Amino acid sequence: MTASIVGIYNVAVPTGRLIILFPKAFEALYIPNIASVYQNKEELKKIYYTTTKWVLIMSSMSLFWLILYSKEVILFFFKEEYIAAATPLIILVIGYFIQGISYTSRNILLLYKKTNIIFIATVSSSLVNIILNLILIPTKGMIGASVSSTISLILMGLIFIVIAYKETKINPFNLKTFIIVLASALSVFITKNLLSYLNLSRLYIL
């Protein structure tokens, strides 16, 4: 692609990665806690589930805000010339969301000394990303690149989650997880529509 398209895409990538700030912050507290209760299955389950729940709450709120306000976020941080980065941002943020909520599972694998699984997952997702880039970028450009990255991130995250479940038999995702994501989506959607209504009302009054 041209240098201008690459420049626009390089706006979407770091902006989308903002969503993993919360999982990274929780990670500093999470790892020492699970290491201290390694032999206690019930305590491990409690910490694993609770941390994943809070990561999910914060990440899902960020996810829907970035999706619904992608253009506004781009305009806030950058110039109007980069507004085309909004669509790749929406796609990328989904992949980074899955990556973020899988951090707790990845750290469980670290605790169980399954670093080989982390290595395999990372290499596999990277290869998938490269292959999809070669296929999609020539015809789809930025959209192809963002779809490739998102698919590879989702693949890596799912591997972490599935293998962590096989090792611990602990599932941190359940019906409450779905409710959390749904509540986050509804709250952001309602807020966006409420703000739009207030702006329209103000204009009408003026």
Side-chain angles (χ1 to χ4, degrees), residues 45-84:
K45 180 179 179 179
K46 182 179 178 181
I47 294 173
Y48 183 21
Y49 175 77
T50 303
T51 307
T52 303
K53 180 184 72 175
W54 280 104
V55 166
L56 187 65
I57 290 171
M58 303 303 294
S59 296
S60 58
M61 289 293 290
S62 302
L63 170 70
F64 295 115
W65 274 103
L66 284 171
I67 288 175
L68 290 178
Y69 289 95
S70 58
K71 292 182 179 179
E72 288 83 354
V73 170
I74 295 296
L75 290 174
F76 180 80
F77 288 109
F78 306 96
K79 297 179 180 179
E80 192 172 350
E81 288 81 358
Y82 294 96
I83 197 68

Side-chain angles (χ1 to χ4, degrees), residues 154-168:
I154 291 174
L155 173 64
M156 183 167 57
L158 289 178
I159 292 174
F160 291 157
I161 292 168
V162 170
I163 301 299
Y165 173 74
K166 287 185 176 181
E167 291 295 326
T168 63

Side-chain angles (χ1 to χ4, degrees), residues 116-167:
N116 60 319
I117 299 296
I118 296 173
F119 175 76
I120 292 170
T122 304
V123 171
S124 300
S125 63
S126 298
L127 289 174
V128 168
N129 194 11
I130 292 170
I131 293 169
L132 290 176
N133 278 329
L134 292 172
I135 296 171
L136 297 176
I137 289 178
T139 56
K140 303 298 182 181
M142 291 187 297
I143 304 300
S146 55
V147 168
S148 301
S149 295
T150 296
I151 290 174
S152 64
L153 288 169
I154 291 174
L155 173 64
M156 183 167 57
L158 289 178
I159 292 174
F160 291 157
I161 292 168
V162 170
I163 301 299
Y165 173 74
K166 287 185 176 181
E167 291 295 326

Side-chain angles (χ1 to χ4, degrees):
M1 298 292 104
T2 64
S4 61
I5 292 177
V6 174
I8 292 171
Y9 184 71
N10 281 334
V11 161
V13 173
T15 307
R17 285 181 63 85
L18 290 173
I19 199 172
I20 63 176
L21 289 177
F22 295 112
K24 282 288 186 183
F26 277 103
E27 191 175 34
L29 299 172
Y30 174 66
I31 294 177
N33 279 321
I34 59 171
S36 65
V37 296
Y38 175 65
Q39 302 297 334
N40 189 327
K41 185 73 175 286
E42 285 303 313
E43 284 298 314
L44 178 64
K45 180 179 179 179
K46 182 179 178 181
I47 294 173
Y48 183 21
Y49 175 77
T50 303
T51 307
T52 303
K53 180 184 72 175
W54 280 104
V55 166
L56 187 65
I57 290 171
M58 303 303 294
S59 296
S60 58
M61 289 293 290
S62 302
L63 170 70
F64 295 115
W65 274 103
L66 284 171
I67 288 175
L68 290 178
Y69 289 95
S70 58
K71 292 182 179 179
E72 288 83 354
V73 170
I74 295 296
L75 290 174
F76 180 80
F77 288 109
F78 306 96
K79 297 179 180 179
E80 192 172 350
E81 288 81 358
Y82 294 96
I83 197 68
T87 301
L89 172 61
I90 292 173
I91 299 170
L92 284 168
V93 78
I94 295 170
Y96 289 126
F97 169 74
I98 299 298
Q99 181 189 34
I101 64 173
S102 70
Y103 275 172
T104 51
S105 300
R106 184 198 64 185
N107 292 326
I108 287 289
L109 295 178
L110 285 173
L111 182 68
Y112 278 75
K113 298 180 180 179
K114 296 294 181 179
T115 51
N116 60 319
I117 299 296
I118 296 173
F119 175 76
I120 292 170
T122 304
V123 171
S124 300
S125 63
S126 298
L127 289 174
V128 168
N129 194 11
I130 292 170
I131 293 169
L132 290 176
N133 278 329
L134 292 172
I135 296 171
L136 297 176
I137 289 178
T139 56
K140 303 298 182 181
M142 291 187 297
I143 304 300
S146 55
V147 168
S148 301
S149 295
T150 296
I151 290 174
S152 64
L153 288 169
I154 291 174
L155 173 64
M156 183 167 57
L158 289 178
I159 292 174
F160 291 157
I161 292 168
V162 170
I163 301 299
Y165 173 74
K166 287 185 176 181
E167 291 295 326
T168 63
K169 303 303 179 186
I170 300 172
N171 180 15
F173 304 98
N174 51 31
L175 181 60
K176 290 182 179 179
T177 302
F178 174 76
I179 294 172
I180 288 170
V181 175
L182 181 62
S184 299
L186 287 174
S187 64
V188 174
F189 180 77
I190 291 170
T191 302
K192 182 176 175 61
N193 282 275
L194 181 60
L195 290 173
S196 299
Y197 172 76
L198 291 175
N199 286 334
L200 289 173
S201 299
R202 190 178 296 112
L203 288 171
Y204 179 75
I205 292 170
L206 291 174

